[in-house]
Amino acid sequence: PALTPTPAPRPPAPAPATAQPRYGGILTQDIPADAPSLDVHQETTTSMLIPVGPAYNGLLQYDPIEGSKVIPDLAERWEASPDGQAYTFHLHKGVKWHDGKPFTAEDARYSLERIIHPPKGMNSPRAEVFPMVDKIEKVDDYTLRVTLKYRSASFLNILANAWILMVPKHVVEEKGDMKKVVVGTGPFKFQDYTRGVSTTLVKNPDYFLKDRPYLDGIINYIIKDSGAAFAALRTQRILTKYRGVSPAEAAILKEKTPQIVLQEKPGMTFPAYAMNLRRKPFDDVRVRRAASLAIDRRAGIQVLGEGAGAVAGPMPPTNIYAMSEAELAPFPGYGPNMEARIAEAKKLLAEAGYPNGIKGLRHVVRAYPGHSELAIFLKDQLAKVGIDINLVILESAAAYAATIKGDFDSYSWQRLAALDDPDVVFGELYITGSPRNYEGYSNPKLDELYQKQARTLDIAQRKAIVLEMQKILLEDNPKLQVFYMTAAAAFWPEVRDYQVPANNYENKKLQDVWLAR
């Protein structure tokens, strides 16, 4: 994969035989919450990426129609050195930032450096996903070279993910960050943001792809209640429901609004129960294992997913590295006998010094659709073995601040990594010091294996290493996967050339989407 030649630029997105892409129209969709900030390099929530993503480009991107294929974006082509340890990216000329200044290789170099080596005081959630990168150099105004420490099977895939976006060096240096300003090169310009109400983007007339975008603009309505968003979809206040629909809602649509298009595929998002390993009681692995034993993951699918979802381990079920149910069965929390699991959990708690259970744990919950339901489910599950959690519900910005500071005993969240590759899943969530490793988990053996798998190009060998890494996590239990959700989207049929991504992060630029009306 490291030596894959540059594919030819993709032609305009294919349309049904009865219609060709047309220009005009406003796409309306929902956002579940306000963004903590607008800085694409510092945030991790789709509530920021939905309104901001259309304003930016990366060097590479995933094909919005085919999904898993890496194609050009701001880099019109690239080549690898014979040893696979250096990549040269040739950038499109004439690209402008939304303030009119030119985009150059210095902006690209600066953006990657800002992600990988963030300045003091900046949170960069993806700083650890580029362990292979050694040096980033501007060759000239339109050429960038990235030198790797070793050949990497995942470098191009990571570079193409939706969070590795280019930001303007001159704006960051002037403002200090991008938390309150959006200046990109993307197909849409960020025009307006009324907190709690909506965000508006308008077509960029100077976009470097002269035939894009098709839409005149995008309005994102902030609708915190999923039921209200569903009602807005059915009445066409919004044309697409970003959060998809539940099985019960899908049944309503099929019966009463059958013209609405439903898309579903296995997803990467997992409702998670995470514990603070820096303080009692979860500094004791026996307590964490008891928590895992207590959670009935199949019940989670029925209650939270309304029957839709999959049980899996640290690697999502969308991936060749995912563990099978047979491989998972021996580990705490995955066996079928709940009665035996509850008895074992109580025994572990007694051995850890908690024969009467644990009371009054501070459990942080994000005020976000689906999160309170998850927390209530977990509270009920954990109570069966004597672990009592007190739910502390916080708005998104405060919830992120609490988890980043470690101000919790435990928290529940819908988690996912930016890419279903071991470099990213482990690099973002589990490696010592990873910015999204809010639990404070550290295992030197896991860190060692992480470096080893990153250097392994043989798929079978890499798979064996990743399996060993997953087994370590399933014994240590810093963050518990309740189950993996189904990725879904629902939209009116006039919305064309949109594909639901497996990981909720991709396909947010919307330059190829058009309205057939």
Side-chain angles (χ1 to χ4, degrees), residues 209-230:
L209 295 180
K210 299 305 179 186
D211 63 340
R212 314 287 172 84
Y214 298 115
L215 299 169
D216 286 336
I218 304 166
I219 298 176
N220 303 294
Y221 293 105
I222 299 167
I223 308 175
K224 298 182 180 181
D225 180 77
S226 185
F230 181 61

Side-chain angles (χ1 to χ4, degrees), residues 43-180:
E43 302 300 341
T44 63
T45 175
T46 50
S47 292
M48 188 279 296
L49 198 57
I50 295 169
V52 169
Y56 287 100
N57 295 90
L59 290 177
L60 311 179
Q61 62 180 322
Y62 279 100
D63 190 302
I65 303 299
E66 296 185 21
S68 61
K69 178 182 176 183
V70 174
I71 63 172
D73 199 359
L74 289 175
E76 63 178 356
R77 60 187 175 88
W78 67 89
E79 65 253 359
S81 61
D83 65 1
Q85 287 189 225
Y87 285 83
T88 302
F89 298 92
H90 303 276
L91 310 182
H92 282 282
K93 296 179 181 178
V95 177
K96 294 180 180 179
W97 295 105
H98 292 162
D99 63 4
K101 295 189 177 180
F103 164 77
T104 70
E106 177 58 21
D107 292 302
R109 184 204 65 80
Y110 179 82
S111 296
L112 292 179
E113 288 285 0
R114 187 173 187 254
I115 293 169
I116 301 171
H117 304 111
K120 186 176 180 181
M122 173 182 154
N123 173 55
S124 177
R126 288 154 287 277
E128 303 297 326
V129 304
F130 287 101
M132 74 293 288
V133 172
D134 181 39
K135 186 166 50 176
I136 307 166
E137 302 170 280
K138 169 189 169 184
V139 178
D140 58 42
D141 280 350
Y142 299 102
T143 311
L144 182 77
R145 181 177 296 120
V146 180
T147 304
L148 308 184
K149 300 172 187 174
Y150 49 83
R151 290 181 67 189
S152 167
S154 59
F155 171 63
L156 291 179
N157 293 328
I158 296 172
L159 195 62
N161 92 66
W163 290 103
I164 310 304
L165 300 173
M166 301 296 102
V167 297
K169 178 182 178 182
H170 64 280
V171 174
V172 179
E173 289 184 337
E174 177 188 348
K175 303 290 185 180
D177 56 40
M178 300 290 290
K179 289 187 174 182
K180 295 183 178 180

Side-chain angles (χ1 to χ4, degrees), residues 9-28:
R10 193 173 65 82
T18 55
Q20 291 297 318
R22 59 185 295 177
Y23 292 93
I26 304 295
L27 180 71
T28 52

Side-chain angles (χ1 to χ4, degrees), residues 22-28 188 201-203 213-219 239 494-495 510 513-517:
R22 59 185 295 177
Y23 292 93
I26 304 295
L27 180 71
T28 52
F188 297 93
L201 297 106
V202 295
K203 181 174 183 172
Y214 298 115
L215 299 169
D216 286 336
I218 304 166
I219 298 176
L239 293 176
E494 57 262 42
V495 178
L510 305 180
V513 173
W514 57 283
L515 297 180
R517 66 172 186 180

Side-chain angles (χ1 to χ4, degrees), residues 205-460:
D206 299 317
Y207 193 46
F208 73 96
L209 295 180
K210 299 305 179 186
D211 63 340
R212 314 287 172 84
Y214 298 115
L215 299 169
D216 286 336
I218 304 166
I219 298 176
N220 303 294
Y221 293 105
I222 299 167
I223 308 175
K224 298 182 180 181
D225 180 77
S226 185
F230 181 61
L233 174 71
R234 293 193 62 206
T235 58
Q236 284 194 294
R237 182 185 177 214
I238 57 174
L239 293 176
T240 177
K241 186 170 182 285
Y242 150 72
R243 282 168 286 184
V245 293
S246 68
E249 290 172 333
I252 293 172
L253 294 181
K254 290 174 183 177
E255 178 185 354
K256 298 184 177 180
T257 325
Q259 64 269 44
I260 290 181
V261 178
L262 298 174
Q263 285 186 1
E264 290 185 338
K265 65 177 62 175
M268 291 172 54
T269 301
F270 61 95
Y273 180 66
M275 295 151 281
N276 193 337
L277 277 61
R278 302 178 186 89
R279 61 195 193 193
K280 293 182 180 300
F282 294 118
D283 59 342
D284 191 321
V285 69
R286 293 171 294 187
V287 178
R288 302 197 299 272
R289 287 176 183 167
S292 186
L293 286 162
I295 297 172
D296 187 339
R297 288 158 170 81
R298 288 162 186 83
I301 292 175
Q302 296 304 315
V303 174
L304 301 171
E306 296 184 20
V311 174
M315 290 300 297
T318 52
N319 194 274
I320 61 169
Y321 301 100
M323 295 174 70
S324 67
E325 289 204 32
E327 290 172 319
L328 288 166
F331 293 95
Y334 288 91
N337 189 332
M338 281 306 302
E339 185 177 341
R341 283 168 48 177
I342 289 172
E344 184 181 351
K346 291 180 177 179
K347 180 181 176 183
L348 284 170
L349 289 176
E351 291 175 359
Y354 304 100
N356 300 316
I358 303 168
K359 308 294 182 184
L361 295 173
R362 175 180 167 83
H363 182 82
V364 170
V365 183
R366 183 183 176 195
Y368 193 87
H371 284 223
S372 59
E373 294 88 341
L374 170 62
I376 292 168
F377 172 79
L378 289 169
K379 182 177 177 66
D380 177 69
Q381 295 285 300
L382 294 168
K384 294 175 183 177
V385 301
I387 298 176
D388 174 55
I389 58 175
N390 289 337
L391 308 187
V392 180
I393 300 175
L394 303 173
E395 289 296 326
S396 290
Y400 272 102
T403 53
I404 290 170
K405 290 190 299 183
D407 184 19
F408 62 90
D409 293 314
S410 63
Y411 70 86
S412 53
W413 213 286
Q414 292 178 2
R415 282 281 179 227
L416 74 157
L419 191 69
D420 60 346
D421 183 274
D423 279 356
V424 179
V425 171
F426 289 92
E428 284 192 15
L429 303 177
Y430 301 108
I431 298 305
T432 301
S434 297
R436 296 180 70 193
N437 179 357
Y438 305 130
E439 304 79 40
Y441 174 66
S442 178
N443 186 313
K445 179 63 176 176
L446 186 81
D447 295 347
E448 177 187 335
L449 290 171
Y450 175 70
Q451 295 296 331
K452 185 178 179 181
Q453 65 81 31
R455 291 164 167 79
T456 303
L457 299 182
D458 182 89
I459 295 296

